[in-house]
Amino acid sequence: MSLTSALSIAQTALFNTSRQTSVVSRNVSEASNPDYAHRSALLTSMVPGARIAQIRRAADEVLFRQNLFAISAWQGQKAMSGGLDTMRLTVNGVDDANAPATAISKLQEAMQLYAATPSNATLAESAVQAAHQVVRSLNDGANGVQTFRADADRDIVTAVDDLNYLLGEFETVNTEIVNGTRAGRDISDALDRRDALLKKISEYVAISTTTRSANDMVIVTADGATMFETVPRPVTFTPNTAYGPGTTGNAVYVDGVPLVPGSGGNTDAKGSIAAALQLRDQTALQMQRQLDEVARGLITAFAETDPSGIQPDMAGLFSWAGGPGIPPAGTLIDGLAGAIRVNAAFDKNAGGDPSLLRDGGANGAVYLHNTTGAASYSDLLLSYSQRLDEPMTFDPLAGLDTTRSVTAFSFDSVSWLEATRKQAASGAEGKQALAVRSATALSNATGVNVDNEMALLLDLENAYEASARLISVIDEMLKTLMQATR
């Protein structure tokens, strides 16, 4: 082998080694960050070496958009499921121990025990105490719902602030990309940062993107509002300082266009903000209305009636701000669950007489049923228990069956919340799986493949080994040549 041929072989081997080194080192450096796309270097030979002519960034626009959509859907469902879990504990407690349905069942038992022994004053007081527990469960549930709505409002404030911050960061990176594209610089890293910001933004709001000349990007929400075009568009929200039964929550606006809340347990909300709006203005409000209707049903079921049928029914064991009359039949009254009270006329601690449950007459002698004062009189007590199980009309705004007994309606409310929670939890599992699968597919298409990199590393090792042997041979040839010329 001539000296010229040996040098040529050595140069080729070193060139191949240099090429593999440049590609592998770049790929491995980006593999540590999942938001960074795969890089490949396009090399050109320059005797005696090589240079990088172009850096190619792997990208898949379709998979990336699908991943953004999946992230939005999952974050919306995740917020919905978590919110429903919180509401359940707030209103009904652990294992529904604090639910109005549970308290009503105990009241009905106390009434039946009292009816079995109507002369027992202790059982009369126990029945009134059971009524107090029903009132506490309704009052606490109503207050819990309003607290939940106020907390959701604060979550929206935080999300809007975060979203505006991300849009500001997006403007900085997008400007860097546009300027770099026009100047012909490598913008791969900036494109990766922009993609990572898009994923963060999609956690709050569902978005779609359009790329214009010079890699300039426009962001539009799923509702059609422009979120970013050259500069960020304002995302605004005015929170309420407190929530009451009649308080209406404010909308979130993107460039003046209101975001649409989601609907359903397996919500169609895309992004955490739409889910928070749904929880605040739909789910919590529905729960409030159901509690209000339970309260109205109790006032009606325990109303005092005129035995002669001449005088109108009046509030009995349970009273309200609109008393002493009873609420209109089948008509929702906002805030009634928070306003219902035990009638002081029946409360011994307030100077009342619990035996009025047995006898009647809290609203005057005309409403007295036990006219003889018999200690064994139980007809009125039995009638109260029966009324709890008799169908009445409920307002359809409560979202439940409109013809049910008070007891059945209260349990329907618990079932409604549990069914909605189950739908939300099931939806969260499915949407999380979709988000993970789409992210995996995107990573496989654009990220670093570890198997391929290991194969390249083995090739690199073999190339170095061959180069070392070749250099050793050349060294021996040069030594022989130098000795021959002496």
Side-chain angles (χ1 to χ4, degrees), residues 17 31 41 80 89 129 161 165 193 212 240 251 274 309 321 329 346 361 403 406 409 417 428 448 451 474:
T17 301
M80 186 69 185
L89 291 175
Q129 290 305 312
D161 289 344
Y165 172 79
R193 296 200 304 274
R212 304 187 296 191
N240 287 316
F346 296 82
T403 306
V406 178
F409 188 89
L417 184 55
V448 174
D451 292 337
I474 293 173

Side-chain angles (χ1 to χ4, degrees), residues 94-181:
V94 178
D95 295 330
D96 300 324
N98 300 330
T102 304
I104 291 172
S105 294
K106 292 180 179 179
L107 172 61
Q108 194 168 23
E109 291 175 5
M111 294 295 295
Q112 290 170 351
L113 287 173
Y114 185 26
T117 313
S119 60
N120 191 322
T122 301
L123 292 178
E125 292 180 18
S126 296
V128 173
Q129 290 305 312
H132 275 293
Q133 183 56 44
V134 172
V135 167
R136 279 193 292 271
S137 68
L138 287 169
N139 292 166
D140 292 346
N143 292 334
V145 168
Q146 302 312 323
T147 300
F148 178 86
R149 297 185 72 198
D151 289 343
D153 224 44
R154 285 189 285 272
D155 290 342
I156 294 171
V157 170
T158 302
V160 168
D161 289 344
D162 290 346
L163 187 55
N164 280 314
Y165 172 79
L166 289 172
L167 289 173
E169 291 291 301
F170 186 89
E171 179 185 16
T172 301
V173 176
N174 190 68
T175 300
E176 178 183 345
I177 290 171
V178 172
N179 292 339
T181 300

